[in-house]
Amino acid sequence: MCRWAAYLGQSIFLEDIVSLPAHSLIRQAQGATQCPTPVNADGFGIAWYSERPQPGLYRDVLPAWSDPNLRSLVGQVRSGLFMAHVRASTGTATSRNNCHPFAVGRWSFMHNGQFGGYDSFRRHADALIPDDLYCERKGATDSEALFLIALGQGLDRDPKAAMQRAIGLMGDLARQRGVAPHVRAACALSDGERLYALRYSSDDHAPSLYHRWSASRQGWAVVSEPLETDQADWSEVPPGSFCIFERDTVQISSFCPDSLRAVA
């Protein structure tokens, strides 16, 4: 499993989320408290939006705590919308192309979770990626496949419906050809304007997900684990939820992958 954090609001230094808090994302890479793998050392990545519609992207295979370039970058770059991820591989290689976030055009995406037995149906998952998007398939993870399938399912038009269809398709493959747990997913995605997040699992163990509004920063933090131990106003996102963060509002609605509705 992995840990991630995302932010939408007034422009802040990336370090305010990634490295400075008492339980920052870098600290979670070494000592996560709400997932089966407390160490997330199989690479990291950051996607941030600034002057252009497409996000900037920085990813590497080092553990997040051991890359001095990461601390330097997050201490200098400001953004009003960014996502950061530390990776614990569920089977695919430790390589830069397998590190989250992934980006295509104006969209960025990251995932914590798994599709059970992915190695046994990886070729079938790849076949769900449209031909015109397959050139964006740089790595080998189930997460990147999910992102590209969602883009093909209309992410630009309706992000929630596209993610329901994409997770449904991947979940069907896991159910038919993989192993349990078939689906566990906590995802963040953005089109450069809004921040979307979802939490879902085909069993009773959905990956953790929280959000918090900061009045001082006028911004939302959406995270796998709360960033400070002395802040009691973190809200847990209920399992089976889809969130839309925009300015000072959040909309939370139910989320269930289309083809899994009958068995959820």
Side-chain angles (χ1 to χ4, degrees):
M1 307 292 265
C2 309
R3 300 284 83 181
W4 58 253
Y7 174 82
L8 171 68
Q10 290 187 355
S11 181
I12 62 172
F13 286 108
L14 275 58
E15 67 179 3
D16 291 341
I17 300 292
V18 175
S19 62
L20 291 185
H23 196 51
S24 70
L25 193 63
I26 288 181
R27 291 184 181 273
Q28 291 177 40
Q30 292 179 289
T33 61
Q34 298 190 31
C35 68
T37 51
V39 177
N40 298 269
D42 298 322
F44 66 87
I46 301 175
W48 70 95
Y49 294 87
S50 184
E51 302 299 319
R52 292 175 174 168
Q54 299 82 13
L57 199 61
Y58 177 60
R59 302 181 295 177
D60 211 337
V61 297
L62 292 172
W65 66 82
S66 68
D67 184 350
N69 294 319
L70 174 61
R71 289 187 181 273
S72 177
L73 186 149
V74 300
Q76 295 294 330
V77 174
R78 297 177 65 100
S79 175
L81 175 53
F82 61 88
M83 306 195 304
H85 186 280
V86 292
R87 182 173 182 249
S89 172
T90 54
T92 50
T94 300
S95 72
R96 188 175 286 111
N97 284 335
N98 285 340
C99 291
H100 309 221
F102 306 100
V104 175
R106 65 192 178 103
W107 282 96
S108 55
F109 175 89
M110 60 186 178
H111 168 230
N112 169 36
Q114 65 186 97
F115 292 90
Y118 173 66
D119 278 348
S120 65
F121 61 85
R122 190 166 73 183
R123 181 174 65 84
H124 300 275
D126 276 10
L128 297 172
I129 301 171
D131 288 345
D132 62 337
L133 287 169
Y134 198 76
C135 60
E136 304 291 348
R137 180 65 155 144
K138 309 298 186 184
T141 64
D142 53 356
S143 304
E144 185 188 43
L146 174 64
F147 176 37
L148 296 175
I149 293 166
L151 283 168
Q153 291 294 320
L155 199 63
D156 270 324
R157 298 187 301 275
D158 188 335
K160 177 182 175 180
M163 290 304 301
Q164 287 185 147
R165 288 191 290 269
I167 290 180
L169 290 166
M170 288 281 283
D172 282 350
L173 286 177
R175 195 174 297 277
Q176 295 161 9
R177 299 175 177 273
V179 298
H182 302 295
V183 182
R184 288 181 181 171
C187 302
L189 52 152
S190 180
D191 57 2
E193 297 179 3
R194 299 174 183 86
L195 176 63
Y196 305 92
L198 67 89
R199 185 186 185 199
Y200 175 80
S201 179
S202 58
D203 62 9
D204 295 329
H205 302 286
S208 57
L209 189 61
Y210 298 84
H211 66 82
R212 178 179 182 269
W213 167 258
S214 170
S216 60
R217 291 176 178 162
Q218 290 292 292
W220 292 100
V222 187
V223 299
S224 297
E225 300 185 11
L227 301 177
E228 299 284 1
T229 56
D230 60 349
Q231 292 172 336
D233 54 347
W234 289 94
S235 298
E236 183 177 7
V237 175
S241 295
F242 187 87
C243 310
I244 304 173
F245 296 90
E246 187 176 13
R247 298 187 179 89
D248 60 349
T249 63
V250 57
Q251 302 175 43
I252 301 178
S253 58
S254 62
F255 181 89
C256 184
D258 287 349
S259 53
L260 297 180
R261 290 180 190 276
V263 295

